[in-house]
Amino acid sequence: MTDIGVRGIRHAVLRGADRVCRATPADRDRAVDALRAAAVLGVVLGHWLVTALVSDGRALRTASPLRDMPWLTPVSWLFQTLAVFFLVGGHVATRGYASARARGVPYHRWLTGRLTRLFKPVAAVLSLWTVAALALLLSGTEFGTVRTLVKLALSPLWFLVVFAVLTAATPLLTRLNPLWPLAVVLHVDLLRFGLGGPSWLGWVNVAAGWMVPYTLGAAWTRGELEGRRAGWVLLGCGTAATAALVVWAGYPASMVGVPGEGMSNLDPPTLAVVTFGLAQCGLALLLREPLRHAMRRPVAWAAVALVNLSAMTIFLWHQTALMATTATGLLAGRLPGLHTRPDGLDWVGARLLWLPVFVLALAVCWAAFRFCEQDGGRGARRGRRGRRSRVVRAHRPSGRGTAAKARHV
């Protein structure tokens, strides 16, 4: 490509980024969007790095490099970012609910709007994978392979169910102290691990565990976490508690499940993953001001805005992009980093080289299904006529006693 062409592309990117910045209200808290984008991309990259589909004859099975290479465990600390997503989700939901009440919008209308935007993109994923599963079975594909693929593709949906339940309970959680759900998680783990209680008790933590960062988000809305002291306390105490649980209480060091291991911190959530989430939330709170400064750069803000506008599409289709690449690659045989067992540094190097291909496959999914993340056909047509999208909203920095306001961007 010539220098003129490169300069032309650069100029077009800068011009588009400037338009996005000019269209963004000056009072928008861009750190909220940056944290949400980081949380979504963290989950995506984490899955791409620690999930392998190994070809074993005619069948595909899941494997993880964390099992054979435990020294990669810190990868799970970097990319298991669900706590940050629930923190931001609780902050946005409680502020949005306060704004709706101030405008006289009834609870059922507010909830219907939020859940519609949350679940509308799910229909496309379920439809495609229903057809794909039937086609694979009819073509003679082994049932175990189909089950592995469908389970992997639909695994992100568990998070949406939990998030929807917490969203529906927002009026009850608005002023709940995060120590209450944290105490529930503590007692559940004490009963099932310390006193030999039934394993099904752990599923109580699916709601209670993620309620902790969600209610922290509500405390953020109330203005209780504005100072840096709160961030440092959460980061320090969360880190110390997690380290103690791993070193002395026998919890796994990995913050994601490892196939073949007897215990998972994530399925269902344990006290260790919740305290680790507290540390993540503390770090996120400390990063708010640096992120606000960074988001003043047009290109950085345009990239974050794009991820937020497509957050659900990226989240729901990233596993499909991984599997589509894996299945297509089988036509060329067993490819390193894609179909081989993740048990050495050569696999890690090869997998890193596959990441751009996964991105390309996800871009194809995004182009095909991003319309589902808009407000239906009418919303899409309004967007094409220049009206503002309802996907990304403007957020005012929170303060005590002030009702949050939201505006379309």
Side-chain angles (χ1 to χ4, degrees):
M1 185 178 293
T2 65
D3 290 342
I4 296 177
V6 172
R7 286 198 298 270
I9 293 174
R10 182 174 180 272
H11 179 70
V13 169
L14 293 176
R15 187 171 53 196
D18 286 336
R19 283 202 300 268
V20 172
C21 278
R22 287 196 300 269
T24 303
D27 58 359
R28 185 183 186 94
D29 189 352
R30 301 184 183 190
V32 173
D33 300 285
L35 289 172
R36 185 194 290 114
V40 171
L41 295 180
V43 171
V44 171
L45 286 174
H47 281 159
W48 285 352
L49 289 172
V50 303
T51 303
L53 283 169
V54 178
S55 176
D56 185 10
R58 296 180 64 247
L60 288 175
R61 59 181 178 83
T62 56
S64 172
L66 298 178
R67 182 175 183 181
D68 292 306
M69 294 178 284
W71 52 270
L72 285 176
T73 295
V75 172
S76 71
W77 306 343
L78 291 175
F79 297 113
Q80 202 290 79
T81 51
L82 285 173
V84 177
F85 195 98
F86 279 95
L87 170 75
V88 174
H91 175 53
V92 173
T94 52
R95 189 170 50 190
Y97 178 65
S99 177
R101 288 189 62 188
R103 300 193 313 270
V105 177
Y107 165 76
H108 71 275
R109 280 182 54 196
W110 171 81
L111 181 62
T112 300
R114 290 193 66 84
L115 294 187
T116 298
R117 292 193 296 273
L118 187 66
F119 282 107
K120 185 173 289 186
V122 173
V125 177
L126 292 177
S127 299
L128 183 140
W129 274 101
T130 298
V131 174
L134 290 174
L136 289 170
L137 290 172
L138 292 174
S139 67
T141 304
E142 186 183 70
F143 176 77
T145 295
V146 177
R147 181 179 60 185
T148 296
L149 295 177
V150 172
K151 183 179 179 180
L152 204 58
L154 302 186
S155 59
L157 298 186
W158 72 263
F159 142 84
L160 294 181
V161 175
V162 178
F163 194 81
V165 170
L166 294 180
T167 300
T170 294
L172 301 177
L173 302 179
T174 299
R175 294 196 170 277
L176 181 68
N177 191 308
L179 290 177
W180 287 108
L182 180 61
V184 171
V185 176
L186 171 63
H187 284 84
V188 165
D189 274 18
L190 180 63
L191 286 173
R192 61 181 179 138
F193 297 138
L195 302 177
S199 59
W200 58 261
L201 275 175
W203 296 105
V204 174
N205 287 350
V206 174
W210 299 118
M211 195 182 297
V212 174
Y214 194 89
T215 51
L216 275 174
W220 178 2
T221 301
R222 297 193 300 269
E224 297 175 5
L225 303 179
E226 287 302 313
R228 293 182 63 82
R229 180 175 179 273
W232 283 114
V233 169
L234 287 170
L235 177 60
C237 293
T239 301
T242 305
L245 290 169
V246 170
V247 174
W248 291 303
Y251 284 83
S254 172
M255 292 300 138
V256 299
V258 180
E261 294 293 327
M263 180 181 177
S264 168
N265 273 322
L266 203 56
D267 188 23
T270 65
L271 179 61
V273 84
V274 173
T275 57
F276 178 77
L278 291 177
Q280 284 185 315
C281 290
L283 180 61
L285 294 173
L286 291 171
L287 290 176
R288 284 176 298 180
E289 199 56 39
L291 285 173
R292 286 171 186 144
H293 286 289
M295 290 302 104
R296 293 173 184 171
R297 299 175 181 175
V299 174
W301 169 241
V304 165
L306 177 62
V307 172
N308 276 274
L309 285 168
S310 308
M312 284 297 297
T313 303
I314 293 171
F315 182 79
L316 289 173
W317 290 98
H318 74 277
Q319 294 284 53
T320 300
L322 167 67
M323 289 181 285
T325 304
T326 303
T328 303
L330 279 174
L331 299 176
R334 286 166 51 88
L335 301 176
L338 202 59
H339 311 110
T340 54
R341 183 174 175 175
D343 57 0
L345 278 174
D346 55 341
W347 184 92
V348 175
R351 175 50 64 102
L352 292 175
L353 294 177
W354 280 109
L355 291 183
V357 183
F358 297 158
V359 172
L360 180 61
L362 181 56
V364 173
C365 294
W366 173 82
F369 298 104
R370 65 189 175 94
F371 71 93
C372 298
E373 201 160 353
Q374 299 173 358
D375 297 325
R378 182 171 57 182
R381 289 192 296 271
R382 288 177 178 174
R384 286 192 293 269
R385 289 198 300 265
R387 297 191 184 185
R388 291 170 175 177
S389 169
R390 297 181 60 184
V391 178
V392 177
R393 295 177 181 271
H395 306 301
R396 292 182 185 275
S398 57
R400 290 182 179 272
T402 59
K405 297 183 180 180
R407 289 195 311 222
H408 301 305
V409 176

